[in-house]
Amino acid sequence: MTAEPSPLVETLQELHRKYAPVAIGKVADYIPELSKADPSWFGIAVVAVDGRTFEVGDSRRPFSIQSVSKPFVFGLALEDHGRERVLSKVGVEPSGEAFNSIVLDEATNRPFNPMVNAGAIATTDLVDGAGPAARLGRLLEMYRRYTGREVHVDAATFLSERATGHRNRAIAHLMLNFGMIEHRVDETLELYFQQCAAMVDCRDLAVMAATLANGGVNPITGERALEADYVKDLLSVMLSCGSYDFAGEWTYRIGLPAKSGVGGGLLAVVPGVAGIAVFSPPLDPRGNSVRGVLVCRELSERHRLHILEPGGAGRSLAEAIGRGSAPDATAREGGRP
Ligand code: GLN
C-alpha cells in the first residue's frame, strides 16, 4: 500500500473547509428535541464498496436518523410481503409535495411513495412481528445489519416526536380510513417515531449507503442486509422521491439515489462504487441539509457521479478511492463529541 494519502481525503477536507462557513438553513425545531442541534456540526464520510472509509469533521457525532430510515424500512416491508402487496399500500410516484403533506393518490387512496411521511408510515405498518417489541426488535436488527453495529433509539427524541406528532397522527388516521394501514395505528405510529429516533452517525450512514452500492451486502462486515433483488427498488424511489419536492432538481443536478432526514443526515449511493454521507443540521425549506446538498452536488460534478453520465458513472471517484492509501489515510478533523 502506498504511503501517499488518497486524493479523496484531500477533496473531502477541501469541501469541509469550503462549506463549513455557510450560514444558511435552519435547524428543525418542529420536533423540539432536534432544535438542540448546533448549526456548526458538519461531517462528511465516504465508504467504498471494498470497505475503505474516508471521513472528515463531525463524522462520529450521533444524531437521529429521521427520514433517512425510510428507504431501509421500505426494503424490510418488501422482504416481509413482496412487491405486489407493498405496492398495493404505497405508490412509487414522486408527489412534488412536502415530506409531511396530507395527501393521498385520489384514484388509489395510496400514499404517493415510501419516502414521504404518509408512505413511510404505511411501510412501517407492514413491518411484521408479534407485537410492538418484536417489531421494534426487527427494525433495530435491520439497522444493525446495515451499519454493522448495535443501534439504539434515543428516548428523548422519541418522546419529543410522540408528544408533538399530531400531523403524522392525522396522516395515519386518514390512511386507516382508506384501509391503507391496519387498525394498530398507535402501535405503528410509535414504531415510526422510534424508527426515526434511532441514533446513527455520518459514518454509519455512509456504510448504509455503501451497502446499497454493494448490492445489499455490508462491505465492512460482509453480512447481507437486503435481498439483492430489492436493492434497485430502494435506489429507484430514492432517486425519484428521496429529496421530496426537490427530487427532480436533485436528480437533474446530482443524479444519485439519495435520502435526507430532518436531523441533518443525508446519504447518497454511487452504485458499484461507494456510499456518501453528510451530516449538517441546518435545513433548506424542503427539509434537506443545506451543506449536504452542496457537498453532494460538488462531489457529483467533480467526479461525474450522475448515474446517467456516459462512459460509466463514478469511475473517477473509484479512481480517487483507488489511488493512495486508506483507511490509515482517513482524514480526521474536528473531534468526537
Ligand atoms: N420523524 C420526522 C417526521 O415524521 C421525519 C421527517 C424527515 O426526516 N423528513 O416528521
Side-chain angles (χ1 to χ4, degrees), residues 119-252:
I121 294 167
T123 49
T124 303
D125 189 54
L126 289 167
V127 172
D128 276 342
R135 294 173 75 205
L136 176 61
R138 291 196 62 239
L139 243 154
L140 294 179
E141 172 57 18
M142 175 197 72
Y143 284 143
R144 188 199 58 72
R145 289 195 303 272
Y146 278 106
T147 60
R149 65 177 190 86
E150 299 298 329
V151 170
H152 75 277
V153 172
D154 180 59
T157 308
F158 163 62
L159 293 172
S160 183
E161 183 161 4
R162 188 175 69 165
T164 55
H166 309 303
R167 196 174 172 105
N168 284 327
R169 269 196 193 90
I171 291 170
H173 281 274
L174 185 65
M175 291 196 294
L176 176 64
N177 174 65
F178 286 117
M180 289 295 127
I181 62 172
E182 306 291 319
H183 282 271
R184 51 182 180 182
V185 190
D186 291 330
E187 184 185 309
T188 285
L189 276 166
E190 301 244 311
L191 189 59
Y192 171 75
F193 297 147
Q194 286 168 319
Q195 154 192 333
C196 293
M199 298 303 276
V200 290
D201 60 30
C202 188
R203 179 183 169 276
D204 290 327
L205 293 190
V207 178
M208 295 173 87
T211 299
L212 295 179
N214 193 37
V217 173
N218 181 317
I220 293 175
T221 63
E223 190 177 0
R224 176 162 291 285
L226 175 70
E227 284 175 36
D229 193 33
Y230 291 130
V231 172
K232 64 179 180 305
D233 298 59
L234 274 62
L235 296 181
S236 307
V237 292
M238 288 164 74
L239 183 64
S240 58
C241 319
S243 31
Y244 317 115
D245 39 342
F246 186 63
E249 186 93 10
W250 174 280
T251 303
Y252 183 76

Side-chain angles (χ1 to χ4, degrees), residues 30-31 66-67 99 117 161 168 192 196 244 261-262:
Y30 76 99
I31 300 172
Q66 298 298 338
S67 287
F99 68 86
N117 286 9
E161 183 161 4
N168 284 327
Y192 171 75
C196 293
Y244 317 115
V262 290

Side-chain angles (χ1 to χ4, degrees), residues 276-289:
I276 299 169
V278 183
F279 165 56
S280 168
L283 309 175
D284 64 23
R286 277 113 161 193
N288 298 314
S289 165

